[in-house]
Amino acid sequence: MVFSYEMIDEGNEVGFDLYYGALAQQDQQIMHKVFSQKTGHVDFVADNDGFYSYCLQLPPMAKMPVVRFQLVLNYGFDSDYYEKLAKKYDYDAINLKVHELNDMLTLTLNEADYQKHKEVEYHDVTEKMNNAALWWPVLQIAILIITGIYQVQHLKSFFKRNKLI
């Protein structure tokens, strides 16, 4: 993942914390950076599948109480990574492009696996909801039948008591 940022209001530092998990908890903190330049990026390779959360915060003694900030999250690697890779392993243009395509294929397959997992979860939820929706009318019909039987019994006893039958 690449977090690219741009501070629209200059003159402040912004703290960036990355956490593993849906809630930002101090014991789950993975990374802490301070953004002081106008633009930049932070590279991060996720070791585990799951939720990641991030938090942006101003220092306690900030010059301005509010800072406008733009943060863009891109999956995969940026062009700097591939330039360094080409220099490190002496790749020509074709080998570098093959490596980029392989990385894109891996990201696509990971996304497909994630979507399949989410589809299975959604299917389970809809099956549970369908089962609940199936039993609700059965319960209503049973209540109506019991109420009807009670009313017939009550009317029969009323008519017998008043000697109308």
Side-chain angles (χ1 to χ4, degrees):
M1 292 186 279
V2 178
F3 293 93
S4 301
Y5 70 90
E6 177 182 0
M7 275 194 268
I8 298 168
D9 295 332
E10 295 183 44
N12 263 337
E13 294 180 341
V14 175
F16 173 81
D17 297 319
L18 185 64
Y19 301 91
Y20 179 72
L23 297 175
Q25 298 174 348
Q26 195 63 33
D27 61 334
Q28 298 287 334
Q29 185 175 9
I30 298 172
M31 176 189 305
H32 173 77
K33 297 273 185 182
V34 175
F35 299 150
S36 56
Q37 299 174 349
K38 181 169 172 55
T39 61
H41 68 278
V42 174
D43 297 334
F44 175 72
V45 177
D47 297 331
N48 301 326
D49 291 338
F51 290 105
Y52 288 86
S53 55
Y54 58 90
C55 179
L56 297 170
Q57 58 191 0
L58 290 172
M61 303 301 286
K63 295 176 188 172
M64 297 176 0
V66 177
V67 173
R68 291 182 298 159
F69 194 84
Q70 179 179 357
L71 184 69
V72 178
L73 172 63
N74 294 315
Y75 291 104
F77 298 104
D78 60 349
S79 57
D80 294 340
Y81 170 79
Y82 290 111
E83 288 174 10
K84 291 176 186 175
L85 193 68
K87 290 178 183 175
K88 182 177 180 181
Y89 294 107
D90 197 31
Y91 285 158
D92 60 355
I94 293 174
N95 285 336
L96 187 62
K97 195 63 171 174
V98 167
H99 197 77
E100 284 182 46
L101 291 173
N102 190 26
D103 288 344
M104 289 173 52
L105 179 65
T106 302
L107 286 172
T108 304
L109 291 174
N110 288 344
E111 183 67 22
D113 287 343
Y114 173 74
Q115 292 299 333
K116 184 177 179 182
H117 175 70
K118 292 304 262 182
E119 181 182 352
V120 168
E121 285 180 0
Y122 176 74
H123 180 75
D124 291 342
V125 168
T126 54
E127 283 294 321
K128 288 177 185 175
M129 195 179 316
N130 187 29
N131 287 337
L134 174 74
W135 287 107
W136 181 248
V138 171
L139 178 66
Q140 286 181 326
I141 290 170
I143 290 172
L144 284 173
I145 290 172
I146 291 169
T147 305
I149 292 171
Y150 172 73
Q151 286 179 348
V152 168
Q153 292 297 325
H154 181 70
L155 283 173
K156 280 172 70 178
S157 69
F158 173 77
F159 287 132
K160 284 185 182 180
R161 211 174 334 126
N162 292 333
K163 297 182 183 181
L164 295 174
I165 331 185

